[in-house]
Amino acid sequence: MEQSILELKSVSKDFGDGNSTIRVLKKINLTVNKGEFIAIVGPSGSGKSTLLSIIGALLTPTVGEITIDQQIVHQQYNKKLNQIRAKKIGFIFQSPNLIPYLDVYSQLRIVAHIAKIDNRQGERRAQELLKRLDLSHRMRNYPNELSGGEKQRVAIARAFMSDPSVILADEPTASLDSVRGRNVVEMISQEVKSSNKAAIMVTHDERMLDLCDRVYNMEDGLLSQK
């Protein structure tokens, strides 16, 4: 029997616009099981990034329910919500957003600190990820000394660092060429399959969709499977 990690039930999101309200997401229902990697495609402004922000507990749904590992995310108090973000969710963005004054190793160790991972365990996890992503020789380099592809691999390692249940990738290949972009998506897929995680990738790059288990289309705030 398949086990779900992430569930969305009738999730809608409204934003105020002067005296009116715009419904950006409309009754989204979605289940992602262990070991599943899904993609969401659709035009700009269709609600894809808003959906990722809600799943990642950066926004609160107007109505509906988001559950990660059987916990209803938006019903948690702030301290608990911060811990869910730190331990349960890994974000990968279009831009690596690395901290300029931290070397590669420290970029990962700060995640371990935020997620309250034991020091020794954090050291092992960081070294293992850097080795797996071919970054061990760069661990003492700073972001301005890295190539674009290396920066994105560091961002991936950072997202994996807390061993999250859910990985959210928002246009992770947009700033990379097709070869490096495919390498990035393959790394996400391998992590999902080997560690039984759930992952959602928002992308405009349809060349990457064969690496995903399911593909959804979002348009005008509605989500449908392709």
Side-chain angles (χ1 to χ4, degrees):
M1 183 179 173
E2 291 183 317
Q3 289 182 287
S4 67
I5 291 180
L6 172 67
E7 287 188 73
L8 280 71
K9 297 177 182 176
S10 296
V11 169
S12 296
K13 180 64 179 176
D14 298 341
F15 287 109
D17 183 18
N19 295 323
S20 63
T21 299
I22 298 171
R23 178 145 288 190
V24 178
L25 299 179
K26 302 168 184 174
K27 293 187 177 180
I28 305 294
N29 291 290
L30 179 65
T31 299
V32 188
N33 296 311
K34 286 184 177 181
E36 262 194 321
F37 183 20
I38 77 163
I40 299 176
V41 299
S44 297
S46 60
K48 302 186 303 298
S49 292
T50 299
L51 179 60
L52 279 197
S53 294
I54 284 178
I55 294 169
L58 301 175
L59 291 175
T60 303
T62 303
V63 294
E65 186 175 286
I66 299 107
T67 304
I68 296 176
D69 284 338
Q70 315 307 315
Q71 286 185 298
I72 300 174
V73 174
H74 56 283
Q75 290 183 358
Q76 307 297 328
Y77 58 91
N78 283 343
K79 188 175 179 181
K80 181 71 172 176
L81 197 57
N82 288 337
Q83 282 301 298
I84 288 173
R85 285 193 207 104
K87 293 185 175 182
K88 298 283 187 183
I89 302 164
F91 291 95
I92 303 169
F93 299 103
Q94 176 178 338
S95 171
N97 295 319
L98 302 181
I99 300 169
Y101 55 82
L102 293 182
D103 63 27
V104 167
Y105 182 68
S106 300
Q107 305 275 346
L108 274 58
R109 295 290 287 122
I110 196 170
V111 175
H113 175 72
I114 293 168
K116 301 188 186 307
I117 297 170
D118 172 79
N119 271 340
R120 192 169 294 177
Q121 182 185 350
E123 286 173 10
R124 282 199 304 268
R125 178 75 174 160
Q127 290 169 4
E128 169 200 314
L129 284 168
L130 292 175
K131 183 177 180 181
R132 196 195 321 168
L133 297 177
D134 193 24
L135 288 165
S136 295
H137 64 298
R138 290 299 213 177
M139 66 186 297
R140 293 304 176 193
N141 287 100
Y142 291 85
N144 66 346
E145 300 171 314
L146 305 176
S147 69
E150 286 170 337
K151 288 177 185 176
Q152 193 65 314
R153 295 208 306 276
V154 175
I156 290 169
R158 182 180 60 190
F160 294 170
M161 183 63 196
S162 63
D163 197 22
S165 300
V166 176
I167 296 166
L168 303 176
D170 193 357
E171 299 283 1
T173 67
S175 59
L176 302 174
D177 61 46
S178 59
V179 174
R180 286 177 178 164
R182 191 166 184 86
N183 286 341
V184 161
V185 179
E186 285 173 343
M187 288 172 196
I188 298 170
S189 178
Q190 286 163 7
E191 178 70 9
V192 169
K193 303 304 179 188
S194 65
S195 302
N196 266 332
K197 301 185 186 309
I200 298 177
M201 174 177 67
V202 163
T203 185
H204 283 102
D205 193 343
E206 300 209 354
R207 294 171 298 181
M208 307 299 166
L209 299 183
D210 63 296
L211 294 167
C212 300
D213 299 301
R214 284 183 280 148
V215 179
Y216 287 82
N217 185 68
M218 177 158 272
E219 194 156 359
D220 295 329
L222 296 168
L223 191 68
S224 58
Q225 191 167 354
K226 292 187 77 173

